[in-house]
Amino acid sequence: MTRFKAIFVHAEGLEERDIGSSYGLSADSLDAAEQEALALPAPDGANFVKLLDEGWVVKTVGLPVDA
């Protein structure tokens, strides 16, 4: 069973919507899950990734912006 999952999100102001499906991660710690999620190819329009631990959002990370 996968403990951590990642879901890409487009957030603007107080509005947010999930983009695409969730990804099961093989990481066994939050730091490792964050690194694994940031290495995934983000879908167009995503500006954040939510990390879930057993179904609960435990961290939201902003995606790097290309200059």
Side-chain angles (χ1 to χ4, degrees):
M1 181 174 172
T2 301
R3 175 179 171 184
F4 290 101
K5 291 186 178 183
I7 299 175
F8 288 97
V9 175
H10 175 81
E12 188 172 330
L14 297 176
E15 300 291 322
E16 74 173 45
R17 64 181 167 84
D18 295 350
I19 300 177
S21 303
S22 66
Y23 294 86
L25 305 174
S26 61
D28 58 0
S29 72
L30 182 56
D31 289 336
E34 180 178 345
Q35 294 302 316
E36 188 176 344
L38 291 174
L40 294 169
D44 287 341
N47 55 2
F48 289 90
V49 62
K50 292 190 288 191
L51 299 173
L52 292 82
D53 182 353
E54 297 181 356
W56 295 91
V57 176
V58 292
K59 190 169 189 178
T60 302
V61 180
L63 298 176
V65 177
D66 294 333

